[in-house]
Amino acid sequence: MSEARETPPQGIAADFDLTRFHEAFFEEAGENLAEMETLLLSFDSAAADHELLNAIFRCAHSVKGGAATFGFNDLADLAHAMETLLDRLRRREIVLAAPMVDALLESGDLARALLARRRAHEDCDDAGTLDAASQLRLRLAGLSRVDSPADAAPKPATAVAPGGDQRTPESPAGAAGRARTLHLTIGPLTRPELANHVVELFDEIPELGTIRPLDAGVPDAGGRRSFEVRTSTSDDELLDLFGFHVARDEVVIRETSRESEARAGAQAAPTTRVPEPGHAVLASTDAAPRSSPATDASTLRVPVEKIDVLINLVGELVIGQSMLAQTARDSDSAASSAILACMADLERNTRQLQEAVMAVRMIPVATVFMRFPRLLRDLAARLGKQVELHTVGESTELDKGMIEKITDPLIHLVRNGLDHGIESPQERVERGKPPHGSITLSAAHHGGSIVIEVSDDGRGLDRDRILSKAREAGMPVHAAMSDHEVYQLLFAAGFSTVDEVTEVSGRGVGLDVVRENILALGGSVAIEPAPGCGTRVTVRLPLTLAILDGMSVAVGDEVYIVPLGAVVESFRLAHKRTRSVVGTDRVVEVRGEYVPVIALEDVFGVAADPRRSVDRILVVVESDGARVAVLVDSLVGQHQIVVKNLETNYRQVPGVSAATILGDGKVALIVDVAHLVRRSRH
């Protein structure tokens, strides 16, 4: 692995170490590229929104400025080509067309790949990457040179500054090469010392020019600092450098040179424009800068590893609190009542602390949903179909660990919906439907779970075709199978309803992978078809993998935890009569349905309590749409537990999904309900 070459930017001392700012640039550039893709996919060329074009341009411009600052010339050149095309679009010299969107999206993909390589210190100069970048730059250049439409009004002598204000190309405002005197305002600042970091930049980079405080080093009543800057560096380059110390919309730059005053006096009327994030303000009045949004001032970027350490420590605190409470309950001293009262307060505060820390890891599912507009756009073009994506409940929050693991299953479901469900435009018109199909992604909280639904308005599922394909595959099926059993066949490994294998489907691995991944997360998946009207796939997941509401059950001297979300009901065995099937297997009738019975002592090889042989408990649990009755000695209680990964600390154990530490300090195994259901089927 070779180190990516970096060229120090012009005007910046070669011995100035910029690598300490790399991580911030990678994060910011990734966010800009993601926002640019979202805006491009939402752009309607029939009803052009030039504010939207300005926003897209600003994203490309920010990436270009940062890349040039750090000497990432390959990325800067690509972003410059994107910026050139976008500049002509926002100046109304050309009209946005589909080939331009395609080229910009592909350029964004390559830019992300270059960012990833830079982040991993990999070589970006291989022939394939250089050729791809060169081809994209040529495409963008060609698209930006197309003739202007007849109805457009080119303005060759005028440039539109970010945000919509106009200035002549000869204006020195924001242009490098000529010394200018600027009035710089920074703030309002929550940490006044941040302004000192900006001052230090001028000490570390003499080529920037000089800076002089105008406020004796004391912020004004609004928390702002004022400076006079003498520099030949452009406004954009200054903002790129300042942005690594203070938020960009906390910086206001006004030119105070005589040329600027002369231009201001020549204007018919003075104007004031509200500054936009990441750009200088070019105004002829001394209007006070607007306050920074509260979200910017209160947001702190923290590595996930630090959050995980905090969550683990809180988990240990919860375990310690449970052990103290157990000791206090077992104590016979006169002070035990006072201790228990204190422990009640400690338990309440510990629970609140635990919930607050867990909330830090909760992020909206919009971070997953935003991947699908681009996915559907590209896939629909390959399949010759038309589709609209609708999202509901994007603000619904889920643990970051769950977000990362649910992304691939949802991609499979969305691809299946478009490939198998949505018909071709011609077929839809023949069926009396609009030519474009619809796929809806929705998310909502239900109790202690999150429910994500993927639905389409396509042709739906064909029960007879599924049975026919299953028979061809040698699967044990019969005509009397319920709809639920038939549709569960779609999740079988290697099963597919298409006749030919394509690059999109036909190998029978998509839904099988979906089910296995969701079951591994302690969730469930179900299909609800409406033939001719579409299909809905419902995924139910726990909100987090770190905390679990569980029911503790006893078998002999051992205590096990059954996830509460999987428990349907429980009852005494004496009140129900079990029946034997095939000699040794047993079933029990529950509300008119026969459910398999599994003795937990047989699963884990422990001895049951002989004194409870008659008066035992059956706990009915459900997973993947199937139920099983688990036979235990007794119910111990219900409580929230901290999940510990068993594989990390020991090894994988069949029938066990994880472990926890009880209040008495003992380790209890968490039962894998999905494993019990599969065991009952075999």
Side-chain angles (χ1 to χ4, degrees):
M1 183 182 298
S2 60
E3 181 75 21
R5 294 181 299 177
E6 299 175 11
T7 303
Q10 284 187 335
I12 295 181
D15 58 349
F16 178 61
D17 183 18
L18 289 174
T19 57
R20 55 178 170 157
F21 303 121
H22 278 185
E23 194 61 33
F25 165 70
F26 293 142
E27 293 285 346
E28 182 181 337
E31 292 171 359
N32 277 312
L33 290 172
E35 181 181 359
M36 184 175 70
E37 179 177 288
T38 301
L39 295 174
L40 282 169
L41 292 172
S42 64
F43 193 86
D44 182 5
S45 57
D49 184 344
H50 289 280
E51 283 302 317
L52 197 61
L53 273 174
N54 280 329
I56 298 171
F57 173 86
R58 287 194 292 272
C59 292
H61 179 73
S62 296
V63 173
K64 169 194 168 183
T69 298
F70 294 112
F72 300 153
N73 297 329
D74 47 1
L75 182 58
D77 292 344
L78 179 61
H80 177 71
M82 299 165 66
E83 183 187 47
T84 301
L85 173 59
L86 289 165
D87 188 45
R88 290 208 67 193
L89 287 168
R90 72 195 185 102
R91 284 157 49 186
R92 297 179 173 86
E93 294 181 358
I94 55 178
V95 177
L96 185 68
M100 298 177 185
V101 176
D102 292 337
L104 289 169
L105 288 173
E106 291 178 33
S107 300
D109 291 341
L110 181 57
R112 270 191 288 267
L114 292 173
L115 274 177
R117 290 194 175 191
R118 291 291 186 184
R119 201 169 198 166
H121 304 288
E122 295 180 359
D123 187 8
C124 295
D125 295 339
D126 61 281
T129 302
L130 292 175
D131 182 63
S134 175
Q135 293 297 324
L136 273 174
R137 289 198 301 271
L138 288 174
R139 281 177 60 189
L140 292 168
L143 290 168
S144 64
R145 285 196 297 266
V146 298
D147 294 334
S148 302
D151 57 346
K155 303 176 181 62
T158 307
V160 181
D165 62 322
Q166 296 181 347
R167 60 174 182 259
T168 59
E170 294 80 16
S171 169
R178 180 185 301 178
R180 301 174 294 134
T181 301
L182 306 175
H183 183 275
L184 172 66
T185 304
I186 303 176
L189 295 170
T190 55
R191 294 169 53 200
E193 68 271 14
L194 292 177
N196 297 331
H197 298 326
V198 174
V199 176
E200 292 171 0
L201 280 174
F202 286 82
D203 296 332
E204 296 170 340
I205 312 175
E207 291 82 359
L208 279 181
T210 61
I211 186 170
R212 181 173 66 87
L214 300 176
D215 50 19
V218 180
D220 63 15
R224 301 179 182 87
R225 294 286 311 277
S226 298
F227 302 91
E228 181 184 87
V229 174
R230 184 70 178 171
T231 183
S232 59
T233 304
S234 69
D235 294 343
D236 290 332
E237 291 174 336
L238 288 174
L239 286 165
D240 286 335
L241 287 172
F242 297 165
F244 294 102
H245 295 295
V246 294
R248 292 193 174 198
D249 56 352
E250 294 176 347
V251 180
V252 176
I253 299 175
R254 290 192 301 275
E255 190 169 332
T256 60
S257 63
R258 292 180 179 177
E259 295 86 354
S260 177
E261 295 171 359
R263 285 194 303 275
Q267 293 180 349
T271 58
T272 303
R273 183 171 60 84
V274 176
E276 299 193 21
H279 293 278
V281 174
L282 301 175
S284 59
T285 66
D286 291 330
R290 70 179 176 93
S291 298
S292 174
T295 52
D296 292 342
S298 60
T299 300
L300 179 65
R301 193 189 299 273
V302 179
V304 177
E305 293 77 11
K306 291 186 178 181
I307 302 298
D308 290 339
V309 170
L310 184 59
I311 289 175
N312 288 334
L313 291 175
V314 171
E316 296 297 330
L317 178 62
V318 171
I319 292 171
Q321 178 268 324
S322 298
M323 296 174 68
L324 282 173
Q326 183 68 40
T327 302
R329 284 192 292 268
D330 295 340
S331 175
D332 295 329
S333 65
S336 61
S337 59
I339 295 176
L340 287 173
C342 294
M343 290 305 303
D345 292 338
L346 177 60
E347 181 178 6
R348 182 179 63 255
N349 294 333
T350 303
R351 174 65 66 91
Q352 292 175 353
L353 175 63
Q354 185 182 54
E355 292 174 352
V357 172
M358 289 303 304
V360 176
R361 273 185 62 96
M362 304 295 282
I363 58 178
V365 295
T367 57
V368 178
F369 286 2
M370 66 184 296
R371 300 169 179 248
F372 295 108
R374 176 69 183 281
L375 171 70
L376 286 176
R377 180 184 186 274
D378 295 345
L379 187 58
R382 286 157 58 188
L383 297 175
K385 297 181 178 181
Q386 300 175 14
V387 64
E388 292 180 349
L389 176 66
H390 304 279
T391 57
V392 180
E394 293 176 287
S395 60
T396 304
E397 291 187 331
L398 188 62
D399 184 86
K400 185 181 187 299
M402 298 287 282
I403 287 281
E404 294 169 348
K405 295 176 182 177
I406 195 59
T407 300
D408 286 344
L410 288 182
I411 288 176
H412 280 297
L413 293 177
V414 170
R415 287 167 60 94
N416 269 17
L418 178 58
D419 188 26
H420 298 291
I422 302 297
E423 310 95 330
S424 65
Q426 180 180 356
E427 183 180 351
R428 290 183 63 86
V429 171
E430 292 174 353
R431 292 172 177 261
K433 298 181 178 181
H436 59 272
S438 174
I439 290 181
T440 302
L441 276 168
S442 67
H445 287 146
H446 287 278
S449 303
I450 183 173
V451 175
I452 301 177
E453 294 182 348
V454 181
S455 57
D456 65 73
D457 66 346
R459 61 175 62 92
L461 298 177
D462 188 335
R463 172 190 168 96
D464 294 335
R465 180 174 177 80
I466 295 173
L467 285 173
S468 175
K469 285 290 184 180
R471 292 190 185 98
E472 292 178 9
M475 302 174 67
V477 297
H478 54 85
M481 294 175 67
S482 66
D483 288 344
H484 173 76
E485 292 173 326
V486 171
Y487 299 136
Q488 287 297 310
L489 295 174
L490 296 171
F491 294 107
F495 182 81
S496 177
T497 58
V498 299
D499 296 320
E500 296 181 359
V501 176
T502 67
E503 60 178 332
V504 179
S505 61
R507 296 177 177 83
V509 296
L511 289 181
D512 176 40
V513 171
V514 167
R515 184 176 68 171
E516 291 302 319
N517 288 350
I518 291 174
L519 290 179
L521 295 174
S524 62
V525 57
I527 296 180
E528 301 176 37
C533 300
T535 305
R536 179 171 60 189
V537 182
T538 302
V539 176
R540 185 179 295 270
L541 295 165
L543 291 178
T544 177
L545 296 177
I547 305 295
L548 176 71
D549 286 315
M551 175 183 289
S552 54
V553 299
V555 179
D557 296 329
E558 301 294 333
V559 175
Y560 300 93
I561 304 296
V562 180
L564 196 60
V567 176
V568 178
E569 60 179 312
S570 60
F571 49 81
R572 292 190 181 278
L573 180 60
H575 296 165
K576 296 285 183 177
R577 187 172 55 156
T578 62
R579 298 183 181 182
S580 296
V581 180
V582 196
T584 57
D585 294 335
R586 288 187 294 172
V587 296
V588 63
E589 186 178 358
V590 181
R591 306 186 189 281
E593 176 187 0
Y594 284 99
V595 177
V597 175
I598 291 184
L600 208 57
E601 63 264 25
D602 294 338
V603 176
F604 296 116
V606 297
D609 188 348
R611 297 171 296 179
R612 305 297 299 270
S613 59
V614 177
D615 195 21
R616 301 190 73 189
I617 301 292
L618 282 173
V619 180
V620 180
V621 295
E622 183 178 31
S623 174
D624 199 20
R627 296 183 177 184
V628 63
V630 181
L631 185 61
V632 300
D633 288 341
S634 62
L635 303 181
V636 178
Q638 175 184 328
H639 40 253
Q640 194 173 62
I641 61 173
V642 179
V643 178
K644 298 292 184 180
N645 191 308
L646 194 63
E647 294 183 41
T648 302
N649 299 285
Y650 178 53
R651 61 178 175 83
Q652 186 176 13
V653 178
V656 176
S657 61
T660 189
I661 300 176
L662 301 176
D664 58 3
K666 294 181 179 179
V667 175
L669 302 179
I670 301 174
V671 177
D672 185 352
V673 176
H675 173 84
L676 298 184
V677 171
R678 291 194 296 269
R679 180 185 177 115
S680 69
R681 289 172 176 167
H682 294 308

